[in-house]
Amino acid sequence: MDTLAETRGLVDSAASAADRQAALIALASALYEYDAGEAVAVAEEAMVLADSRGDTHGRAWALHHRGWAVAALGRLDEALADQLAVLDEFERQRDRRGIAHALMAIGDIHGEIGDSSVSLEYLERAVAPMEEADDKAGRAALMNLTAIVLSHEGRHDEAAHLLEQVEAIYASLDDPLRVTMAKINRGFELLSLAETQGTGDLVPEAAELASEAIEVGRALQDGGRSTLAYARSLMAQVLASLGDEEGALVESAIAVAVASEGGFDTLATEIGLDRVGWLTSAGRLQEASELLDEIDVSSRKSDNRRSLARATELRADLRQALGDTAGALASYREFHRMDKDLHSDAAERRARLTSARLQIERAHNQAELAQMRVAELEALDQEKRDFLASVSHELRTPLAAVLGFASELAEAWDGFEPEEARGIVRLIARQSSDISNIVDDLLTITRVEAGTMSIYPADLDLTEAVGALVEVLGREANREVGWSGNARVWADPTRLRQILRNLVINAFRYGGPQVRVVAQGSQDGVVVVEVRDSGGPIPPGRVATMFDSFDHTDDGEKNPSSVGLGLAVARSLARLMGGDLVYDYDGESIFRLTLVPPTAK
């Protein structure tokens, strides 16, 4: 089945813009190995369609395939920029498969420039999202690329093991073409292992793989030209390793012809260079010279400087075999110059691509930080709105009562019995006190957080300072509050009353029916004032936040919401006076206030 022709047919028969876009993306993916220039044009057409449809996800995939194609054209800087942009977009969309493929492409680009460590880093990063996406074909492609990088590092055993796994995955996907290419690649790794280990034990296995691949390439006919060319090249290498140069020349000649017919010029050049070496070794110097001239012309035309350098090295060997020592020396010098330039260019390209990658990643990180800051500001803005709504509610409720009752008294004073009027006035006073307390807490926490809160401590008798307050609070709430203790402390009387007022009101709101205040001195001289209630324990999660500013709860009518400042103000003031405020439970809920004795002033 001619997949490329079939995909072109899908583009032509697309019934909608969405279908055409999807077909173009598939065509770009299938094309880049055959005609990278056309693949770029097809991917860009898909991008235009995606833009017109507002399809950012489709555009990202089209750009991803464009990146592969421009990399095949040698435009690695451009390819890297494409893939980094794609990675950013896929991360925003949380597309695990897209993330994996973008990371894989970036790893491949770094592998192309010889930066193996960075390449392997990106390829390793792609493993987890690829597995999460359950993309078997992508996983096989990722392992194949990893094997290539490992091979470049001389880790042929690891590469061969990975390629064996690649074969198994493609076999499970019923993809004989890719199974065969994995076998060919594994065959080359086995030959490299045989050479480095100095043993021929692996050569027969490589020969068997080559034979299998040749049969598959033949069966695929036109669709298997590159496979057949690679398989013939592998067989030529096998025969050469066995000392059969004539056999290697026959297989390499077939491989060059097949690659050329299929339009795989770079592959034909690589195989041709191997063939030049074998021709020279076999003494067929005229054929070697003619083939070398052809390769030299085609390499210069395509600006394939790597092939030109190798051709120059082979020409030095050829001239040496012809007895032209001076020419051989000149070619060797030229080869070393070209090789040095190649390494210099590679180093410069690595540095340039690394710099570009770091700049893009830095910009990406800055964008993420900016987004986080925006989110923080939005959250802060929401907190302000929630706070204003809460304060507005807390002030509106008592204020409405004050205004309502005051208006009734003003309009119909004579209609109330004296005791009834006094009750209304007491209610107005209590509601006004609630308003005053809220405003007092707001002003206090603002000054505390701004660092402008002033404390004026004095030597106090707790019975005088607290007893009357507890009595008033109980009377206003129509609740009985127990009070016991007798100690002297060094504290600001106004702020101490504010602390205890907040704690007792908190117990009224959220605690059990019985509330009591107990003061006593401890063995180290510290004075402890406990506000206890008979309610159950406060949940640990609530304890962790209840002393934060504006933290409040809302459990319905039993525990109405508040501004959420009472406990925060109480603890802040306690610490400003050298003490502290903590929560405990021993069968009763306890808010334990510690204060310093007068002798510590």
Side-chain angles (χ1 to χ4, degrees), residues 246-257:
E246 287 302 319
L249 287 169
V250 171
E251 289 294 335
S252 63
I254 298 172
V256 169

Side-chain angles (χ1 to χ4, degrees), residues 200-519:
D201 295 347
L202 299 173
V203 176
E205 186 178 352
E208 184 178 345
L209 291 172
S211 297
E212 292 177 14
I214 288 171
E215 292 305 313
V216 173
R218 283 173 174 166
L220 291 171
Q221 298 181 351
D222 288 347
R225 286 184 186 275
S226 66
T227 302
L228 184 57
Y230 275 116
R232 291 287 188 181
S233 175
L234 173 59
M235 183 60 80
Q237 294 282 0
V238 167
L239 293 172
S241 69
L242 294 171
D244 184 0
E245 289 183 345
E246 287 302 319
L249 287 169
V250 171
E251 289 294 335
S252 63
I254 298 172
V256 169
V258 172
S260 298
E261 289 171 6
F264 303 104
D265 296 335
T266 301
L267 176 58
T269 297
E270 291 175 358
I271 300 170
L273 288 167
D274 290 335
R275 183 172 169 74
V276 168
W278 295 323
L279 286 169
T280 302
S281 180
R284 295 161 60 174
L285 304 184
Q286 183 61 35
E287 288 181 65
S289 180
E290 291 173 359
L291 179 55
L292 201 54
D293 288 341
E294 292 176 13
I295 291 173
D296 190 77
V297 171
S298 63
S299 296
R300 291 184 187 280
K301 185 178 180 180
S302 62
D303 193 28
N304 190 337
R305 294 194 295 162
R306 192 175 300 279
S307 294
L308 278 172
R310 190 178 172 204
T312 303
E313 183 182 24
L314 289 169
R315 192 174 295 281
D317 294 339
L318 178 60
R319 285 175 172 170
Q320 186 68 42
L322 289 168
D324 181 4
T325 304
L329 287 173
S331 292
Y332 279 130
R333 283 196 295 271
E334 178 66 9
F335 162 69
H336 286 302
R337 182 192 65 77
M338 295 174 73
D339 189 58
K340 182 180 178 181
D341 288 345
L342 281 173
H343 282 85
S344 177
D345 289 348
E348 181 182 345
R349 173 168 278 189
R350 281 196 296 273
R352 187 172 64 251
L353 286 180
T354 299
S355 176
R357 174 173 59 84
L358 291 175
Q359 287 178 4
I360 293 172
E361 289 181 345
R362 189 179 300 114
H364 172 64
N365 291 337
Q366 289 174 345
E368 283 188 336
L369 288 173
Q371 290 176 349
M372 289 174 60
R373 181 57 179 155
V374 168
E376 289 173 359
L377 291 173
E378 288 176 347
L380 181 61
D381 186 54
Q382 184 61 47
E383 286 179 5
K384 289 180 178 178
R385 288 196 295 270
D386 292 345
F387 165 67
L388 289 174
S390 178
V391 170
S392 174
H393 171 75
E394 288 300 304
L395 289 174
R396 187 184 297 115
T397 300
L399 188 57
V402 168
L403 290 173
F405 286 123
S407 296
E408 284 193 41
L409 286 175
E411 293 173 6
W413 175 268
D414 294 338
F416 291 100
E417 294 295 330
E419 187 58 34
E420 186 179 12
R422 277 193 293 272
I424 293 175
V425 171
R426 282 195 294 270
L427 183 59
I428 290 173
R430 187 162 59 249
Q431 297 292 342
S432 298
S433 176
D434 287 346
I435 295 173
S436 176
N437 292 340
I438 291 172
V439 173
D440 195 14
D441 282 346
L442 285 169
L443 292 174
T444 299
I445 202 65
T446 301
R447 291 170 183 168
V448 168
E449 292 182 351
T452 59
M453 186 72 208
S454 297
I455 296 295
Y456 303 100
D459 182 0
L460 300 178
D461 183 330
L462 278 179
T463 301
E464 296 178 0
V466 178
L469 171 67
V470 170
E471 183 183 347
V472 169
L473 290 172
R475 187 170 59 250
E476 288 180 350
N478 197 26
R479 299 276 295 272
E480 184 176 344
V481 182
W483 156 249
S484 63
N486 185 18
R488 303 193 71 83
V489 294
W490 183 252
D492 184 319
T494 301
R495 299 310 168 192
L496 177 58
R497 282 194 295 271
Q498 187 175 359
I499 292 171
L500 291 171
R501 181 201 72 205
N502 287 354
L503 294 179
V504 171
I505 291 175
N506 182 75
F508 287 163
R509 281 190 170 187
Y510 305 110
Q514 296 178 0
V515 178
R516 58 197 180 98
V517 181
V518 180

